[in-house]
Amino acid sequence: MFQHVEAYPGDPILSLNEAFGKDPRPDKINLSIGIYFDDAGKIPMLPSVRAAEHKVVAEAGARPYLPMEGAANFRTAVQQLLFGADNAAVKAGRVVTIQTVGSSGGLKVGGDFIKRYFPTSTMLISDPSWDNHRAVFEGSGLSVKTYPYYDAATGGLRFDAMLEALKQAEKKSVVLLHACCHNPTGVDLTKAQWQQLVPVLRERELLPFLDLAYQGYVDGIVEDAYAVRLLADAGLSFFVANSFSKSMSLYGERCGALSIVCPDAAQAVNVLGQMKATIRRNYSNPPLHGGQLVARVLSDPELRTMWEAEVVAMRDRIQAMRRKLHEVLSAKLPGRDFSYFLTQRGMFSYTGLSPEQCDRLKEEFGVYLVRSGRMCVAGLNTGNVEATANAMAAVLG
Ligand code: LMR
């Protein structure tokens, strides 16, 4: 019956993480998956989230199905987090927010919606982008192409080429943009570049789809929502998928949302209705528990203050690791420029290591990086950063 089912070659990120789990070497180092580990190499349980969980569990009663669009308190809290409490588009009823199964769930139902209502639109993703973007949108039946983004020569952004490509894009193309903490490169647009992008998006009638999976990991919770608020203030219609996996260390709870900013409140009502239909066709309704932890942290003033400080601490620790890695590598290989570790932002850096060099790192040194050369800087800690730098120097040298 299943002879025609071919073997799964594996996922470049998740399968590598599985391989790491099976590696018996005690000194192995996991810089593969986009997960924040603390300085002891553990996934933290944030005290704010733990306190929220105590309260939520103490108050929990029956477990009904959530509505298709998710819990109202979660959706309202997410809107305020992304758009700000006084946002004009939110107040005008133009923003639809649905709770999704992680932000991947938001990409998926967004992709299905786009396929249904913009069937001839092409999905444009950055070159490179998160490995799963292409898979998710192709899975929705969309045609996926790339626009220029990363400049391998400088470790920076090919902004002019990006802008030019978007100026040539077919009208109503959907443009996937990383709102902050670009995955996999760590190369973000500056505020001025976002501002330059807006007229191009408007004139070409492009439909932006922001992916905001790392809010708080670059400059701050509000600062990292800059692109969301800029596009909303510019009066554009767009999508934004966001996640609490990293910012609240709630990976397995799959807490995400998809917001759609619409031209007016009447269209927003219909968009919400069709998003509900899309969710019903995919998984009926989202899970209850994790979203309630998020809603509690965001809406309880004391927990909110705790959480904001926790995000700062995670961000500062990553920055310290960037500086340390840069320092050790620059001392070991004095002729080389490792400044990209300092200029690239957020959880990831694109090391420029070849797939073969990544294979050597894994096989000889037990240091796991995605074969594209992406390093999750949040996997470094004071106990493994020097060993990582030594291993990198060995394969580079
Ligand atoms: C990553 O990019 O490593 C994370 O977002 C985890 C994933 O699902 O790929």
Side-chain angles (χ1 to χ4, degrees), residues 340-357:
Y340 61 85
F341 280 119
L342 304 177
T343 51
Q344 296 175 352
R345 295 138 50 96
M347 209 178 244
F348 302 111
S349 261
Y350 224 37
T351 58
L353 291 169
S354 67
E356 293 71 29
Q357 287 170 323

Side-chain angles (χ1 to χ4, degrees), residues 13-14 32-34 130 183 214 246 348 374:
I13 298 172
L14 299 185
S32 63
I33 193 161
W130 180 47
N183 181 1
Y214 299 89
K246 337 279 174 175
F348 302 111
R374 184 191 83 167

Side-chain angles (χ1 to χ4, degrees), residues 310-321:
E310 290 156 2
V311 174
V312 172
M314 293 193 283
R315 183 168 76 235
D316 286 352
R317 202 190 75 72
I318 295 176
Q319 273 307 113
M321 288 302 111

